[in-house]
Amino acid sequence: MTEAQEKLTIIDCDVHPQLRSGADLLPYLDEPWRSQAARAGLPGAGLPYASPIGNKRKDADPPSGLPVGSDPAYMLEHYVLPFQVEYALLCSDSIIGVSGFADADYAAAVCKAYNDYQIAEWLPRSDRFKGYLCVATQDPYQAAAEIDRVGPHPDIVGVSVTGGSRMPYGQRFFHPIYEACQRHGLPLVIHPGAEGGGIFNPPTAAGYVSNYLQWHTCLPQTFMAHLVSFVCEGVFEKYPGFRVVLCEGGVAWLPPLLWRLDKNFKALRASTPWLKRMPSEYVRDHCFLTTQPIEEPDQPRHLDAMFEMFDAENMLLFSSDYPHWDFDDPTRILTRLSPEKKRKVFRDNARQLFGLV
Amino acid sequence: MAVHRVARTEDIPENTHLIVEVDNRSIGVYNVKGQYYAIHNRCPHQGAELCKGTRCGTTLDSEVYQFIYGRDQEIVRCPWHGWEFDIKTGRSLFNEKIRTRSYPVLVEDGFIGIVLAH
């Protein structure tokens, strides 16, 4: 078979299983939370934005009648198998805002329940399912303990948190989480979903935008702040084995941000004497970005040009976001990449990063 | 090679400097703790008169969240954008390949001489 004929198997770094309802977690929830949730439901921190068109695809309802994304068998049948997905990396959606809840102990309990639920009810359903464990960021020591508890599971390949936060992620408050990630060789996957919700800061530096359109467009702001913070606070000097995946936060903003950061560093390096290299070099070696929702400029060659401005072929990881409304079809995006670059972006980079060999 | 005498040693006391013209070049002559150094008065970035910048020390290589101040009076910061240069070598602190020219200095008979290659 020639290279052109070979149908590429892919690793999808952002696939969303859904709970059928919060009741799915009850068997896994420790007391006293279980009794409380059984009586009153699982409290959430809430989100100030909702997509006016819904955040799920309208053609992905399982025939079983279960909610979209909540039927593992149908996820395999509808997406994973027909699209040659070698591994679907499952990223929680249903509890994405858990770190926005004010009660750190409740949030940690929900994450623990979710992780056990995922391990019991999703990961055994297919060799193609691997998962990110969830941690709540309110208490980084409990988060680190959860990484120690669940991280060694063979089907757990990363640690997920949401972009919403009370402070930039590079700051020392969070370092126990990164130390635990490094200890277990698990990348931190930052996924949007609750920016501006609960106890988090507003979703943009200018404040609360009015609707989902603006909120979704401005998500890269939060990612930029986290990324600059990771580098400048010396997280990658302190934890050289630590890797970060910026998931679903866009891609094209990266090169100009790094130009700006490097330029400023030339004058202001004395503020961060622990940095031994240019800031962009740390990003190059420690950070990855998932592709979806890939930017779609009117001139496709403009995206090609952006990819030339950073080490795109080694830093990008394919993601579809199935079954969400802004799903990217792996056969329809990034068609202009060479076969070699496609293999890296759609599969090999993720294989290497997540140890999927 | 020619030695251009530009000042008497007492003209540039410790931790001061002088900007001189030699052979149509503007050069900063610095006294760093009793040793004299000369660098081209031009920042390689956008051409500012580097030697009009603030003289200072800097933070030394350190562990994360550790600040160690040192090299006091050995650094000049460009007056425009604040890039730091090592007065002894002309090299910038963020990339040793980015540098302003450094000239050898000869002190003889109480005179400071700058050595220019011709």
Side-chain angles (χ1 to χ4, degrees):
Chain A
M1 201 157 50
T2 68
E3 206 163 72
Q5 290 167 321
E6 178 198 353
K7 194 160 182 198
L8 186 64
T9 60
I10 62 179
I11 295 176
D12 186 337
C13 298
D14 188 25
V15 175
H16 292 294
Q18 312 287 325
L19 298 175
R20 288 166 297 187
S21 78
D24 284 349
L25 294 188
L26 289 182
Y28 304 97
L29 200 55
D30 288 339
E31 292 290 4
W33 316 110
R34 185 193 299 171
S35 300
Q36 291 180 20
R39 281 193 301 272
L42 279 173
L47 269 179
Y49 303 97
S51 167
I53 58 173
N55 86 331
K56 305 294 189 300
R57 278 170 57 166
K58 302 301 174 288
D59 62 347
D61 291 293
S64 55
L66 292 172
V68 176
S70 68
D71 182 338
Y74 187 64
M75 183 180 282
L76 289 164
E77 176 193 328
H78 186 225
Y79 174 61
V80 175
L81 298 175
F83 284 88
Q84 312 260 13
V85 179
E86 185 177 290
Y87 292 109
L89 308 191
L90 304 181
C91 183
S92 149
D93 181 10
S94 305
I95 64 158
I96 196 77
V98 69
S99 295
F101 204 75
D103 184 335
D105 298 303
Y106 165 74
V110 168
C111 287
K112 180 170 183 281
Y114 186 87
N115 293 332
D116 288 341
Y117 155 83
Q118 178 173 252
I119 286 170
E121 304 201 18
W122 279 86
L123 300 180
R125 297 296 294 272
S126 169
D127 291 342
R128 300 188 188 220
F129 286 152
K130 300 284 178 182
Y132 304 136
L133 70 90
C134 297
V135 292
T137 54
Q138 294 91 329
D139 178 357
Y141 290 99
Q142 286 196 70
E146 181 65 1
I147 295 168
D148 287 337
R149 186 183 77 88
V150 179
H153 190 283
D155 293 328
I156 291 294
V157 297
V159 174
S160 75
V161 295
T162 192
S165 182
R166 285 185 289 170
M167 60 186 106
Y169 274 153
Q171 294 186 358
R172 66 198 85 188
F173 174 79
F174 297 109
H175 289 194
I177 298 176
Y178 313 144
E179 191 175 340
C181 285
Q182 175 174 269
R183 192 157 58 238
H184 296 280
L186 296 173
L188 183 79
V189 180
I190 305 176
H191 188 288
E195 287 78 351
I199 59 172
F200 294 149
N201 281 318
T204 82
Y208 291 90
V209 292
S210 299
N211 52 40
Y212 186 84
L213 164 64
Q214 299 175 55
W215 174 82
H216 195 279
T217 303
C218 291
L219 288 173
Q221 273 198 12
T222 302
F223 278 60
M224 288 180 197
H226 287 320
L227 182 60
V228 169
S229 176
F230 274 121
V231 174
C232 295
E233 301 277 336
V235 171
F236 301 125
E237 276 294 334
K238 197 169 165 187
Y239 307 111
F242 177 58
R243 300 287 182 275
V244 172
V245 178
L246 303 172
C247 189
E248 204 177 341
V251 169
W253 51 265
L254 182 70
L257 180 80
L258 297 183
W259 297 337
R260 192 172 171 89
L261 181 55
D262 278 354
K263 174 164 175 158
N264 280 335
F265 181 74
K266 290 172 185 172
L268 305 173
R269 56 152 291 285
S271 311
T272 53
W274 42 84
L275 296 186
K276 313 282 190 269
R277 297 182 286 152
M278 294 302 282
S280 61
E281 296 177 41
Y282 290 98
V283 175
R284 160 65 192 83
D285 290 347
H286 292 267
C287 299
F288 298 80
L289 301 98
T290 64
T291 53
Q292 180 279 338
I294 197 67
E295 288 88 345
E296 295 175 345
D298 292 343
Q299 297 289 335
R301 65 188 162 80
H302 289 168
L303 189 62
D304 304 344
M306 295 308 297
F307 287 172
E308 287 174 17
M309 297 175 201
F310 71 107
D311 191 14
E313 67 182 277
N314 292 306
M315 293 172 69
L316 293 181
L317 307 169
F318 170 75
S319 61
S320 75
D321 203 30
Y322 179 92
H324 283 181
W325 70 278
D326 44 352
F327 168 81
D328 275 339
D329 181 330
T331 67
R332 300 302 296 271
I333 66 156
L334 302 176
T335 53
R336 297 159 63 89
L337 290 181
S338 69
E340 186 200 350
K341 288 180 181 174
K342 258 190 192 166
R343 270 199 304 276
K344 288 172 135 182
V345 171
F346 281 83
R347 186 187 62 204
D348 293 352
N349 292 344
R351 268 189 187 166
Q352 196 176 348
L353 176 64
F354 296 108
L356 296 168
V357 282
Chain B
M1 204 176 84
V3 179
H4 299 258
R5 289 187 168 179
V6 295
R8 301 185 70 90
T9 50
E10 60 264 35
D11 298 335
I12 310 179
E14 194 160 318
N15 297 337
T16 67
H17 74 287
L18 208 59
I19 296 173
V20 299
E21 284 286 323
V22 180
D23 209 12
N24 289 323
R25 287 181 235 200
S26 181
I27 293 174
V29 186
Y30 289 81
N31 181 334
V32 180
K33 296 162 195 157
Q35 293 287 315
Y36 295 93
Y37 301 91
I39 56 174
H40 195 189
N41 182 23
R42 188 177 189 285
C43 179
H45 178 212
Q46 291 188 14
E49 290 187 77
L50 176 61
C51 302
K52 290 187 174 174
T54 305
R55 199 164 161 186
C56 54
T58 191
T59 51
L60 308 182
D61 278 357
S62 66
E63 299 297 312
V64 174
Y65 295 143
Q66 186 182 35
F67 292 90
I68 308 167
Y69 182 78
R71 305 182 73 184
D72 193 43
Q73 300 300 318
E74 295 179 22
I75 309 298
V76 59
R77 269 192 189 272
C78 177
W80 283 3
H81 305 102
W83 289 14
E84 297 163 290
F85 291 86
D86 181 346
I87 290 169
K88 294 181 176 178
T89 64
R91 295 177 192 278
S92 77
L93 297 199
F94 66 87
N95 180 345
E96 63 175 23
K97 289 179 186 157
I98 307 294
R99 56 187 303 185
T100 193
R101 178 176 291 217
S102 167
Y103 300 97
V105 174
L106 272 181
V107 179
E108 272 180 337
D109 308 327
F111 285 94
I112 301 165
I114 296 173
V115 183
L116 296 186
H118 285 288

